[in-house]
Amino acid sequence: DKEEQEMERREKDRYPRSRDRDRDRKEKRRKDKKDKKEKKSKNKDKDKDKTNDNENVTDKTQDEQVNNGHIKNKKPAFRTEMIEVILNDRLGKKIRVKCNNDDSIGDLKKLVALQTGTRPEKIRIQKWYNVYKDHISLADYEIKDGMGLELYY
């Protein structure tokens, strides 16, 4: 009787419950992943059907709509919008300037010059080690609303 109990205990020690639990968890994860993949594939199929329906309704995009051989409502590469740029001169002065995102850095320097009273030629605008050039627009440098730049004069 004692020997049988000892053998059962050894058997349990050899295959502890934690192994079974870990195996069950792995199986559950695999099953969950499989289910997610199936759901994604179903959603993709639905999205494809929706896009096909939309294509049937409108054959041309807005850029391709042609009226008597001329392109109608051609949009620019980016939308002009007002942004506010914050310039820090690292001496305790922060200047907030409102401008358009299609303005050049030179235009921004002129606006800053009006607020600070310095000449625009003396102003240098940079971010870290990138010194911004006067003829390139804010949108080209991907300067967004509320972005902080460094100002040196």
Side-chain angles (χ1 to χ4, degrees):
D1 193 36
K2 287 185 179 180
E3 289 179 17
E4 288 178 17
Q5 288 178 354
E6 184 68 28
M7 286 180 65
E8 286 179 28
R9 190 182 61 76
R10 285 184 184 168
E11 193 78 23
K12 286 182 181 178
D13 289 344
R14 187 183 302 169
Y15 301 107
R17 286 186 179 176
S18 63
R19 285 187 184 176
D20 295 337
R21 186 179 61 231
D22 291 342
R23 186 188 67 232
D24 293 341
R25 284 180 182 167
K26 286 180 184 177
E27 288 176 4
K28 186 178 179 188
R29 279 191 219 121
R30 286 185 194 134
K31 186 179 176 186
D32 289 344
K33 284 183 182 179
K34 200 176 202 181
D35 292 343
K36 284 182 183 178
K37 285 182 182 178
E38 289 174 2
K39 284 182 183 178
K40 282 184 181 179
S41 65
K42 286 180 184 177
N43 288 339
K44 285 182 183 177
D45 292 339
K46 287 180 184 178
D47 290 342
K48 285 181 183 177
D49 293 340
K50 286 181 185 177
T51 55
N52 288 338
D53 293 341
N54 291 339
E55 288 173 3
N56 294 336
V57 174
T58 58
D59 294 354
K60 300 174 185 175
T61 63
Q62 198 168 21
D63 290 340
E64 295 174 347
Q65 288 179 351
V66 177
N67 186 12
N68 295 332
H70 299 288
I71 296 175
K72 180 176 135 181
N73 293 335
K74 177 108 176 158
K75 290 186 176 180
F78 55 87
R79 229 175 75 221
T80 302
E81 57 185 27
M82 286 290 281
I83 60 172
E84 185 177 45
V85 181
I86 301 160
L87 295 128
N88 188 356
D89 71 350
R90 304 272 184 137
L91 298 171
K93 189 188 274 187
K94 272 191 177 180
I95 301 161
R96 294 173 159 257
V97 179
K98 286 197 180 276
C99 56
N100 291 327
N101 65 345
D102 63 343
D103 288 345
S104 67
I105 296 291
D107 297 336
L108 179 65
K109 284 183 180 181
K110 289 175 188 172
L111 293 170
V112 171
L114 288 173
Q115 286 191 14
T116 59
T118 59
R119 294 198 317 258
E121 307 88 50
K122 294 284 184 183
I123 294 173
R124 187 176 82 216
I125 297 173
Q126 68 183 53
K127 179 83 171 180
W128 287 89
Y129 294 105
N130 295 336
V131 178
Y132 294 142
K133 296 183 173 64
D134 286 354
H135 63 280
I136 299 176
S137 72
L138 299 175
D140 291 338
Y141 278 121
E142 296 181 3
I143 295 172
K144 308 287 185 205
D145 186 32
M147 195 165 171
L149 303 174
E150 298 167 12
L151 174 67
Y152 297 98
Y153 41 78

